[in-house]
Amino acid sequence: MSTREIIILPDHRLKLVSAPVPEISRDVRKLVEDMFDTMYEAPGIGLAAIQIAVPTRVVTVDISRENEPRNPLAFINPRITWASEEMSCYQEGCLSIPEYYEEVERPARVRVSYRDLDFVEREIECDGLLATCIQHEIDHLNGVLFIDHLSKLKRDRVTKKFIKQARHREQGH
Ligand code: NI
């Protein structure tokens, strides 16, 4: 098992647009493994590669509950091909913005094309928490955070708080 460090706000790398995976290599498999280890350890229900400082279009998700068997899902080069007009609202959080939660409205249902770990093209249609989670993670691949969906007031407030915390860490407090 090997976990990697999760980068947090205001790390500028979170704004990077991640590059597509050209093929499945040993490095990509290792990346996915480490992402699952890191996500389960955190613990979180979704992780984008950029959150461990790798600007590559890879997402891991597991929305199973604690008392259910694990259901690890890996998405290579995921993209939303259809989104419902109907919206739904979930309280979201992010491992890169620890201990901050806010309601975000997103399409209730989406269709996502992606490649699996054999680089086979696949498509799923999902709703509920999975739809929200996948949209949140695909946002990360485009340098977008869930706080970018909030009002400027809320976004500025949380960003300032994390800038302050980062300063404190640098000064060794
Ligand atoms: Ni996130």
Side-chain angles (χ1 to χ4, degrees):
M1 166 151 164
S2 68
T3 60
R4 301 204 209 170
E5 194 188 335
I6 296 174
I7 61 175
I8 59 177
L9 193 70
D11 195 308
H12 65 276
R13 289 170 291 183
L14 290 168
K15 302 241 181 215
L16 290 176
V17 174
S18 295
V21 174
E23 60 178 349
I24 301 297
S25 60
R26 196 195 284 184
D27 283 352
V28 172
R29 288 182 191 278
K30 173 78 174 121
L31 171 66
V32 171
E33 254 175 52
D34 287 358
M35 285 174 65
F36 278 121
D37 288 345
T38 305
M39 184 181 86
Y40 286 125
E41 170 94 356
I45 60 169
L47 192 73
I50 189 58
Q51 293 182 273
I52 54 168
V54 181
T56 294
R57 300 187 87 80
V58 177
V59 160
T60 55
V61 169
D62 188 341
I63 58 155
S64 64
R65 293 171 195 275
E66 253 178 77
N67 55 349
E68 291 172 352
R70 279 184 175 176
N71 182 26
L73 304 171
F75 301 92
I76 313 291
N77 301 339
R79 59 194 168 85
I80 293 164
T81 55
W82 173 82
S84 65
E85 273 174 39
E86 186 199 337
M87 305 291 273
S88 71
C89 209
Y90 272 93
Q91 190 170 60
E92 296 191 23
C94 181
L95 294 174
S96 295
I97 313 173
E99 287 163 48
Y100 181 75
Y101 305 92
E102 268 295 342
E103 299 241 308
V104 178
E105 196 182 44
R106 299 180 187 270
R109 210 175 170 83
V110 288
R111 217 172 285 145
V112 178
S113 283
Y114 65 100
R115 289 185 184 258
D116 66 14
L117 284 170
D118 295 315
F119 216 53
V120 174
E121 185 88 41
R122 302 207 174 263
E123 189 179 59
I124 55 160
E125 192 171 318
C126 49
D127 60 6
L129 181 58
L130 184 57
T132 284
C133 188
I134 289 181
Q135 289 174 79
H136 173 124
E137 301 311 330
I138 291 176
D139 268 357
H140 272 299
L141 304 182
N142 297 318
V144 175
L145 299 172
F146 84 93
I147 58 171
D148 294 322
H149 294 281
L150 306 178
S151 68
K152 185 176 180 326
L153 184 75
K154 282 183 180 168
R155 183 169 56 251
D156 287 351
R157 199 182 288 154
V158 62
T159 305
K160 266 185 207 148
K161 190 178 135 195
F162 276 83
I163 289 172
K164 209 185 257 179
Q165 284 174 359
R167 240 180 250 144
H168 274 260
R169 272 196 307 277
E170 275 164 25
Q171 290 164 0
H173 287 279

